[in-house]
Amino acid sequence: MSMELLQHLSLGIQVALTPENFLFCLLGATLGTVVGVLPGLGPTTTIAMLLPLTFKIPATSALIMLSGIYYGAHHAGSTTSIMLNMPGEPTSIVICLDGYPMARQGRAGVALCIAALVSFFAGCVCTVAIALFSPPLARVALLFGPPEYTTMILMALVTIVVLSSTSLVLTLGTAVLGLLLGTVGTDLNTGIIRFSFGSNGLVDGVSFVSLAVGVFAFAEVMAHIAAETHRPAERPKISSLIPTRQDLARSWGAALRGTAIGGVLGLMPGTGPLISSFASYVVEKQIAKDPTRFGNGAVEGVAGPEAANNAAALTHFIPMLTLGIPAGSAMALMLGALIIQGITPGPQVMTEHPDLFWGLVVSMWLGNTMLLVLNLPLVGVWVRLLAIPYRLLYPGILMFCCIGVYSLNNSTFDVFLATGFGVLGFGLKKLGCAPAPLLLGLILGPLLEENFRRALLLSRGELTVFIQHPISLGFLIVTALLPFVFLFTSRQALARRSHQAG
Amino acid sequence: MTRCPLTRYPRRSVIAMGAGLITLARATRAVAQSSWPTRTIRLVAPFAAGGGTDILARVLSQQLHEILHQACIVVNIDGAGGTVGATEVATAAPDGYTLLVGTPGTIEVNPLTHSLRYDPQKDLAPISLVTESAAVLVANRDFPPNTVQELIAYARQRPGEVNFGSAGPGSFSHISGEMFDYLAHVNMTHVPYRGTSAALADLLAGRVQLLFENMPPVMGDIQNGAVKAIAIGSATRSSFFPKLSTIAESGVPDYESTSFMGLLAPAKTPRPIIDRLQQAIVDGLHDPETATRLHALGVELNGSTPEQFAAFIARGIALTAKVVEAAHMRQS
């Protein structure tokens, strides 16, 4: 077995280290970094545009490049979250919560370094997981049906209250507003269009990217302009770029836990990196000795979710490679690139095309190394972003955001929608509400409804289906216990604080 | 007194001038056509990047680009099940620079289920039916029936108990399943998913027993035995699985469900441009590399004339209308 694995790996190394494949890997990782950094512009659009170019190159090289774009974008999405409080990719929303406060304390370099290091760590671990356990792990994906997804999403929604460090009422309020926004659009079961007010732009629901760019990027710019009218915005000083021993000590465990969470959740084709990154955040906050540090620049709040989102981005490949089930449209495009070249995805890929499978696995490790080498020196460059005068930086940000939102669906409506959400986001900021629950509500609401109704359709209306499936029952029990755990830990924190004070 | 400016000229010369203008206009149009295309051609794909038809459209655009020596790009305008993109093309300038990648949804189904701002047979001019892909009836490996006859008997004994998945309401897989219900007089439960891959995952896991999906997304799973193919939905047998009998020959005579990808233009597009595009498509399909690529994706090449495509559409709309009526799929 191990002998066989060594043979496979040496084959993979031979494939991945040919000059062409090495260059394709570098090209993919670099492109991924670029689209990851630009808010709105995502890997799917990029892969779609490059797809015709891959017809003329070998399947293995094509897949190496396209997957490089995919994990590269996940790797780099956190950069703007940390520097500017604007998530470059949906998966890096959670990084804003502590990454941006770190930047404001002058620790942007530290946050970026930690993000690059834990991404690399998660990437290496998950590459090994793909190499060793792909076939058995693929079966896990099929264990998750509508009841399991329903209760998992329910659990995620309940944990949202733990996410925010502001008041419970405000968090619940913004999450519910997000859920309500999620009801806009075509009902999946009947095809009836809800709350579109005759606008074609709303028939498919509120665009997630519009909301994210609006409440994060646009609102941030507005808040700065509003602040500058009476005093010049304070510029965070850059104290150091290198993480301290304490930073590393704190990140180590968070990265391990984040990798485990992301690696497992990434196997489910329906959920993906987003849930994993915020699940990791909740876990870190729950087990922290002093949860009040979260939201104020806790390094674990960057390390855990960043590891989780990169781990999930890689294990997402397992259902695609072994079952032929793509998790999301970027994966579907990669699958298309393979099929076009006559390779049928499925369990036989590993045996019939070992060069492709193992070449990809080795290239993932190689790509992650390249990303680390690429990103660490870039930390210095990104940090200097903050030295650009705001009067130049902000118009630039607005422009890139508009291009990103527009490019997603060639829709000016989405750009206007983002502007509207910018105003909403500014209002929320003034009220002291965090925007993350709003976004999570918008994403999870429709998923919850869809899976809940599908579960009931399949069970012919029997609600007991949720307790008959063991995994689903497990999620329900955890969901029921969560509020108590939350109460208990916050009591403890209160007691400790009053103890310290007294 | 206001004078009509024309009265200053003798009537005969006005007529002559008018005729001259018309000739001039014709001449410039002829020039415009002979030099078409002079700028980028946009193929509007009315769905998000990444779907099966999106990949087909990209193969086609690459080929048109090489044959017409002009940039030819796929523009994804997703929304309302393809309605947004199709409406945009239906109302675009008929100059041959904005074309629609047409699929059953935008051409046959949506106009029957929703009130739309375009009529697919009046506002769009067919250019060519590029590719076809038959519906395949696939089942979970452990599902007892192996033939259409066995399935009908099985489903009649258990009304409402057999589930068929689909890629969403109004999707090709939905219509194909409802068509079976309607023509075979059975009652199965429709379970909609968001896209084919989610439905396929639950088919593999056995949560839904059947899926009526067009060939490309299920071909691999049939080949490697992950799912069981029961029959094919086209009028004739498929070249991919010649041993697989058609649903029509297995006791549901009128059943015909074939997905397609065709190119359409705004209605008043000049005929020479349409012919030029049709010829380019035929030439493109004759290119062995393109043919291999498209074949690998699980589609049959067609390359019909505009008239054949129009007749194909008319036939599809007639059958779909009956299914939509029977399954109460029309939204008020």
Side-chain angles (χ1 to χ4, degrees):
Chain A
M1 166 69 204
S2 64
M3 200 49 219
E4 203 186 356
L5 184 69
L6 278 180
Q7 279 170 1
H8 285 322
L9 281 180
S10 74
L11 170 69
I13 292 167
Q14 279 168 27
V15 174
L17 283 184
T18 60
E20 310 88 84
N21 286 345
F22 185 86
L23 281 177
F24 277 119
C25 185
L26 182 66
L27 182 67
T30 316
L31 269 173
T33 306
V34 173
V35 298
V37 167
L38 296 175
L41 204 59
T44 309
T45 325
T46 319
I47 293 175
M49 286 190 300
L50 289 177
L51 193 69
L53 298 181
T54 66
F55 298 163
K56 305 248 155 114
I57 60 177
T60 309
S61 311
L63 193 62
I64 284 176
M65 179 179 74
L66 297 180
S67 51
I69 296 174
Y70 186 75
Y71 56 70
H74 282 278
H75 210 291
S78 55
T79 307
T80 43
S81 298
I82 294 169
M83 299 309 302
L84 304 163
N85 200 20
M86 297 167 193
E89 294 302 314
T91 48
S92 44
I93 291 167
V94 183
I95 310 295
C96 291
L97 298 176
D98 276 282
Y100 186 59
M102 280 183 78
R104 297 193 60 100
Q105 294 155 13
R107 283 159 44 80
V110 176
L112 290 171
C113 278
I114 291 287
L117 287 170
V118 299
S119 297
F120 175 69
F121 171 76
C124 291
V125 172
C126 288
T127 308
V128 174
I130 294 176
L132 289 178
F133 310 117
S134 269
L137 284 180
R139 265 171 249 135
V140 176
L142 290 184
L143 289 178
F144 265 62
E148 287 79 11
Y149 277 118
T150 308
T151 47
M152 181 171 75
I153 295 160
L154 194 68
M155 184 180 79
L157 277 170
V158 172
T159 48
I160 283 182
V161 289
V162 194
L163 250 179
S164 182
S165 38
T166 52
S167 89
L168 183 66
V169 177
L170 286 181
T171 311
L172 271 178
T174 36
V176 169
L177 183 63
L179 288 175
L180 290 177
L181 284 174
T183 62
V184 174
T186 307
D187 171 37
L188 180 64
N189 283 64
T190 58
I192 288 171
I193 298 162
R194 301 185 295 204
F195 309 117
S196 77
F197 303 102
S199 154
N200 262 335
L202 289 176
V203 168
D204 294 313
V206 171
S207 153
F208 166 77
V209 174
S210 293
L211 183 68
V213 165
V215 297
F216 278 100
F218 289 2
E220 185 71 27
V221 171
M222 279 189 240
H224 264 274
I225 295 168
E228 269 187 65
T229 49
H230 42 94
R231 69 189 160 81
E234 79 277 32
R235 246 168 217 294
K237 278 199 292 288
I238 299 151
S239 52
S240 87
L241 295 178
I242 313 296
T244 60
R245 195 173 288 262
Q246 194 194 19
D247 289 328
L248 288 176
R250 278 181 170 157
S251 306
W252 178 242
L256 263 179
R257 286 182 292 271
T259 306
I261 293 169
V264 172
L265 290 181
L267 292 174
M268 321 306 168
T271 48
L274 175 71
I275 288 189
S276 71
S277 66
F278 100 92
S280 155
Y281 188 86
V282 170
V283 167
E284 290 311 315
K285 193 174 171 182
Q286 276 302 327
I287 62 169
K289 288 204 187 80
D290 178 12
T292 54
R293 288 197 302 116
F294 281 77
N296 299 310
V299 73
E300 302 98 302
V302 173
E306 183 64 12
N309 116 44
N310 282 282
L314 283 182
T315 51
H316 244 46
F317 278 88
I318 293 179
M320 180 189 84
L321 287 171
T322 55
L323 294 175
I325 299 173
S329 42
M331 290 275 167
L333 280 167
M334 286 186 236
L335 208 58
L338 285 186
I339 296 171
I340 262 185
Q341 307 236 10
I343 292 171
T344 313
Q348 75 293 347
V349 166
M350 285 176 81
T351 46
E352 281 175 20
H353 304 279
D355 52 329
L356 177 105
F357 185 86
W358 296 101
L360 178 68
V361 168
V362 173
S363 90
M364 282 174 169
W365 183 82
L366 190 69
N368 271 286
T369 315
M370 284 177 187
L371 284 169
L372 184 70
V373 175
L374 209 67
N375 279 316
L376 276 184
L378 274 179
V379 167
V381 179
W382 294 129
V383 168
R384 249 172 270 147
L385 256 184
L386 293 181
I388 302 173
Y390 285 129
R391 68 192 154 81
L392 298 178
L393 180 65
Y394 282 152
I397 289 171
L398 291 180
M399 187 187 72
F400 276 120
C401 286
C402 288
I403 294 174
V405 172
Y406 179 79
S407 72
L408 207 66
N409 206 12
N410 297 298
S411 153
T412 43
F413 179 84
D414 284 350
V415 181
F416 290 125
L417 202 61
T419 315
F421 284 131
V423 176
L424 174 74
F426 181 67
L428 287 177
K429 231 180 206 334
K430 289 280 156 198
L431 292 170
C433 300
L438 183 71
L439 282 157
L440 292 169
L442 175 71
I443 299 171
L444 296 179
L447 279 176
L448 178 68
E449 185 196 345
E450 180 188 326
N451 282 290
F452 179 67
R453 291 177 66 180
R454 188 176 299 136
L456 289 183
L457 189 60
L458 288 172
S459 75
R460 307 293 185 258
E462 280 300 325
L463 275 167
T464 48
V465 67
F466 297 105
I467 48 172
Q468 280 164 355
H469 288 69
I471 300 175
S472 163
L473 181 65
F475 282 133
L476 276 180
I477 292 172
V478 175
T479 312
L481 290 177
L482 267 171
F484 298 103
V485 176
F486 175 59
L487 265 178
F488 179 69
T489 45
S490 56
R491 275 255 174 95
Q492 266 191 333
L494 264 180
R496 200 167 28 232
R497 220 180 307 161
S498 59
H499 180 75
Q500 280 164 353
Chain B
M1 181 186 141
T2 49
R3 273 168 50 144
C4 176
L6 276 182
T7 52
R8 278 192 278 156
Y9 302 98
R11 182 182 276 176
R12 198 173 295 164
S13 67
V14 170
I15 293 172
M17 214 162 71
L21 275 175
I22 289 168
T23 326
L24 191 70
R26 275 205 188 128
T28 40
R29 206 166 65 190
V31 169
Q33 279 160 18
S34 66
S35 58
W36 178 92
T38 53
R39 56 188 166 92
T40 304
I41 302 166
R42 296 163 72 237
L43 297 189
V44 173
F47 28 71
T53 320
D54 182 59
I55 295 170
L56 291 177
R58 282 170 203 280
V59 176
L60 177 68
S61 76
Q62 177 80 5
Q63 202 51 35
L64 290 181
H65 162 69
E66 280 167 25
I67 291 171
L68 297 170
H69 304 292
Q70 187 55 251
C72 188
I73 55 165
V74 174
V75 182
N76 295 98
I77 302 183
D78 186 21
T83 306
V84 179
T87 310
E88 175 154 330
V89 177
T91 54
D95 53 11
Y97 293 106
T98 310
L99 307 171
L100 176 70
V101 179
T103 55
T106 43
I107 305 300
E108 295 175 353
V109 186
N110 297 350
L112 291 166
T113 55
H114 292 79
S115 323
L116 300 182
R117 272 176 276 175
Y118 70 91
D119 178 331
Q121 287 172 295
K122 282 191 191 133
D123 301 325
L124 292 166
I127 298 170
S128 181
L129 175 61
V130 185
T131 63
E132 285 179 279
S133 52
V136 203
L137 168 54
V138 288
N140 178 272
R141 276 194 300 199
D142 303 326
F143 186 58
N146 291 313
T147 64
V148 170
Q149 283 305 326
E150 285 172 24
L151 169 64
I152 293 175
Y154 185 89
R156 282 199 186 138
Q157 276 167 11
R158 303 165 180 77
E161 280 179 38
V162 179
N163 300 321
F164 72 92
S166 88
S171 62
F172 175 75
S173 41
H174 181 199
I175 290 283
S176 304
E178 296 286 2
M179 190 183 288
F180 190 84
D181 256 19
Y182 166 65
L183 293 173
H185 308 291
V186 291
N187 174 19
M188 303 190 292
T189 301
H190 169 225
V191 184
Y193 288 80
R194 216 175 276 281
T196 304
S197 38
L200 207 48
D202 268 11
L203 180 76
L204 292 177
R207 290 181 192 99
V208 295
Q209 290 85 45
L210 298 173
L211 186 65
F212 296 78
E213 187 51 277
N214 76 121
M215 186 69 83
V218 293
M219 190 166 69
D221 287 314
I222 297 173
Q223 280 165 349
N224 62 42
V227 297
K228 175 166 78 180
I230 293 184
I232 193 131
S234 46
T236 54
R237 291 193 181 197
S238 158
S239 65
F240 294 101
F241 301 101
K243 283 188 192 149
L244 200 59
S245 52
T246 67
I247 296 179
E249 73 184 82
S250 319
V252 193
D254 295 324
Y255 192 98
E256 187 188 351
S257 184
T258 299
S259 182
F260 63 87
M261 189 268 278
L263 212 55
L264 299 97
K268 294 198 175 71
T269 307
R271 184 70 199 207
I273 293 182
I274 296 217
D275 289 339
R276 180 97 191 271
L277 275 164
Q278 196 263 344
Q279 192 55 47
I281 290 169
V282 171
D283 293 348
L285 293 179
H286 278 131
D287 173 62
E289 264 185 54
T290 308
T292 319
R293 267 175 217 144
L294 289 172
H295 223 72
L297 288 167
V299 297
E300 315 259 5
L301 312 186
N302 192 304
S304 76
T305 65
E307 287 69 28
Q308 288 166 334
F309 190 18
F312 176 90
I313 291 173
R315 209 153 38 104
I317 288 179
L319 184 54
T320 310
K322 285 186 202 156
V323 176
V324 165
E325 169 90 28
H328 308 290
M329 285 167 65
R330 172 141 192 101
Q331 310 286 335
S332 52

